[in-house]
C-alpha cells in the first residue's frame, strides 16, 4: 500500500498545495483540521519567518509556514503537537511532527554556529548552508534509548516529576557521544534506578518529535540491585505485577508498546503493533 504521507524537499517558488502554519503556540487549526489551502493561508496577515516544502499528502504538496508569532485567523485557533498526537488522526500527526522538527531545526540554524553569519536553505536538499565556511547543517535527531526492564511477572516502571499525575512509564534517556545503544541503556538504567540488566533485546523504534528524539525501544531482564531513584529525575520507581499495572503512557507511544508487548507475551495474548 502506498503511504499517504511521504516527505520531500519542495520548491517554495511553485504555487498551490496545502500548508500548515506553526507558531510558538502550536499549529493553526479549524474544524477541518490543520491543513489549509496554501495560497489562501499566505494571504492571511501572518508573520512568516520561513517557508519550507515538506512533502506529499495523498499526492498533494504540503508546505510549512513557520511563524514568528501566532496571528489571528478568523474561525481558527492554535494547538500544540501533543494534543494532535492524543486526539488527531495518525497521518496528520506524522505530517505535523515532521513539520515541527523541520521548523524548529531551520529556525535554530538561521545563523552559522561556526562564524555567526546568516545561513540559507539549500535548494532541493534539507540543509542550511553557510557560504563563507562551506558548512552544511542537517536536521538534528537525538537518539534516545527506552527500555522495559522485567523480572518474571513484574515490570519496572517509573515516574518523572514531569509526568501526568499517577502515570508510570518505562525508563528512557538520551545517548551520549561515545556510547553504543546498549552502553546508553545500561548507563541510563543504572543512573535512574541503580538496577543492573541483562539479555538486552531490541524491539523497534519510533520518531518522537518532542522536539527531535528517535526512540530505540528495548526489553531487558533484571540482573541485580535494589531500586534507588535518581534525585530530581525519578520521583518514584516500582516493580509492578503485570496483573496490577498503574496508569500507563498514551497508547501511541513506544513506552506503551513495550509494556503491552510484554504483558501480551506473559498472558499469551496477541501482540500489539508498534505505531509508526
Ligand atoms: N515515545 C515514548 O514513549 C517516550 C517515553 C519516554 C521518554 N520519551 C522521550 O525520550 C527522550 C529521553 O528521555 P528523558 O527525558 O528521560 O531523557 P534523560 O533521562 O536523558 O534525561 C533528560 C535530560 O537530559 C538532558 N537532555 C535534553 N536533551 C538532550 C539531548 N538531546 N541529548 C542529551 N541530553 C539531553 C536534559 O538535561 C534533560 O533534562 C525525551 O525526548 C522523552 O520525551 C519518549
Ligand atoms: Mg530519563
Ligand atoms: Zn559560517
Amino acid at each position: 500500500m502506498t503511504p499517504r504521507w511521504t516527505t520531500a524537499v519542495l520548491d517554495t517558488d511553485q504555487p498551490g498545495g496545502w500548508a500548515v502554519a506553526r507558531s510558538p503556540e502550536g499549529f493553526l487549526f479549524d474544524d477541518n483540521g490543520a491543513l489549509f489551502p496554501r495560497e489562501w493561508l499566505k494571504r492571511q496577515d501572518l508573520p512568516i519567518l520561513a517557508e519550507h516544502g515538506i512533502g506529499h499528502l495523498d499526492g498533494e504538496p504540503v508546505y510549512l509556514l513557520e511563524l514568528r508569532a501566532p496571528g489571528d485567523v478568523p474561525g481558527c485557533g492554535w494547538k500544540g503537537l501533543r494534543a494532535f498526537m492524543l486526539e488527531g488522526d495518525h497521518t496528520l500527526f506524522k505530517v505535523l511532527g515532521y513539520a515541527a522538527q523541520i521548523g524548529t531545526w531551520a529556525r535554530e540554524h538561521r545563523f552559522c554556529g561556526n562564524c555567526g553569519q546568516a545561513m540559507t536553505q539549500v535548494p532541493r536538499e534539507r540543509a542550511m548552508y553557510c557560504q563563507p565556511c562551506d558548512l552544511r547543517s542537517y536536521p538534528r535527531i537525538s537518539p534516545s534509548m527506552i527500555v522495559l526492564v522485567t523480572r518474571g511477572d513484574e515490570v519496572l516502571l517509573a515516574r518523572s516529576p514531569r509526568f501526568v499525575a499517577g502515570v508510570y512509564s518505562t525508563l528512557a534517556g538520551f545517548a551520549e557521544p561515545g556510547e553504543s545503544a546498549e552502553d546508553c541503556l545500561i548507563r541510563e538504567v543504572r543512573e535512574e534506578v541503580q538496577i543492573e540488566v541483562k539479555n538486552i533485546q531490541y524491539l523497534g523504534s519510533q520518531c518522537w518529535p518532542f522536539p527531535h528524539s528517535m526512540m530505540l525501544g528495548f526489553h531487558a531482564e533484571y540482573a541485580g540491585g535494589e531500586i534507588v531513584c535518581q534525585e530530581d529525575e525519578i520521583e518514584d520507581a516500582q516493580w509492578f505485577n503485570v496483573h496490577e499495572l498503574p496508569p500507563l503512557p498514551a497508547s501511541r507511544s513506544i513506552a506503551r508498546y513495550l509494556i503491552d508487548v510484554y504483558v501480551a507475551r506473559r498472558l499469551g495474548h496477541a501482540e500489539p503493533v508498534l505505531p509508526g
Side-chain angles (χ1 to χ4, degrees):
M1 201 177 78
T2 323
R4 291 189 57 204
W5 163 245
T6 48
T7 62
V9 184
L10 305 179
D11 183 355
T12 50
D13 290 337
Q14 293 294 318
W18 297 103
V20 298
R22 195 179 84 116
S23 80
E25 288 188 12
F27 286 94
L28 187 73
F29 75 101
D30 69 5
D31 291 344
N32 295 317
L35 286 150
F36 297 85
R38 174 163 164 247
E39 300 307 324
W40 175 86
L41 195 58
K42 287 176 84 167
R43 284 195 301 274
Q44 309 304 305
D45 195 17
L46 293 168
I48 299 172
L49 176 66
E51 185 175 21
H52 306 276
I54 58 171
H56 293 98
L57 179 64
D58 295 328
E60 291 293 316
V62 180
Y63 295 79
L64 161 68
L65 302 184
E66 178 75 12
L67 308 180
R68 292 175 196 280
D72 247 348
V73 183
C76 297
W78 297 92
K79 192 158 71 178
L81 186 58
R82 253 171 219 279
F84 283 99
M85 178 187 71
L86 295 172
E87 306 158 10
D89 78 80
H90 191 57
T91 303
L92 178 64
F93 171 63
K94 297 287 287 181
V95 175
L96 299 183
Y98 184 71
Q101 294 198 69
I102 298 308
T104 302
W105 157 75
R107 199 185 57 222
E108 293 176 354
H109 290 81
R110 282 177 291 159
F111 299 96
C112 175
N114 194 44
C115 75
Q117 298 214 37
M119 297 183 97
T120 53
Q121 283 185 46
V122 180
R124 295 177 298 284
E125 197 182 4
R126 191 69 69 202
M128 298 292 281
Y129 184 62
C130 173
Q131 198 160 30
C133 300
D134 190 26
L135 183 75
R136 280 175 159 73
S137 289
Y138 297 95
R140 174 172 41 160
I141 298 169
S142 303
S144 307
M145 303 316 125
I146 181 158
V147 57
L148 179 68
V149 181
T150 65
R151 187 170 68 181
D153 262 352
E154 294 176 313
V155 298
L156 177 55
L157 301 176
R159 274 191 54 73
S160 139
R162 303 182 291 271
F163 286 4
V164 174
V167 169
Y168 281 75
S169 185
T170 49
L171 300 172
F174 292 101
E176 290 178 3
E179 286 184 329
S180 67
E182 291 81 1
D183 292 339
C184 169
L185 187 160
I186 291 166
R187 175 184 54 75
E188 282 290 341
V189 176
R190 258 184 210 149
E191 278 178 10
E192 296 193 344
V193 290
Q194 290 188 25
I195 293 290
E196 300 299 319
V197 296
K198 62 180 181 187
N199 297 338
I200 296 169
Q201 189 198 3
Y202 174 73
L203 266 85
S205 67
Q206 179 181 58
C207 159
W208 193 245
F210 304 102
H212 40 64
S213 292
M214 149 79 97
M215 306 306 302
L216 304 179
F218 296 85
H219 170 244
E221 288 173 20
Y222 170 79
E226 293 294 325
I227 295 174
V228 179
C229 296
Q230 183 182 21
E231 211 176 320
D232 301 329
E233 283 293 318
I234 304 293
E235 192 175 86
D236 186 33
Q238 297 180 31
W239 292 102
F240 291 93
N241 190 284
V242 290
H243 297 283
E244 289 167 76
L245 293 173
L248 299 175
S251 60
R252 280 186 183 158
S253 64
I254 192 168
R256 181 60 174 270
Y257 168 78
L258 297 174
I259 299 165
D260 287 350
V261 166
Y262 190 71
V263 172
R265 285 181 185 173
R266 234 30 226 181
L267 304 183
H269 296 165
E271 285 188 22
V273 175
L274 174 60

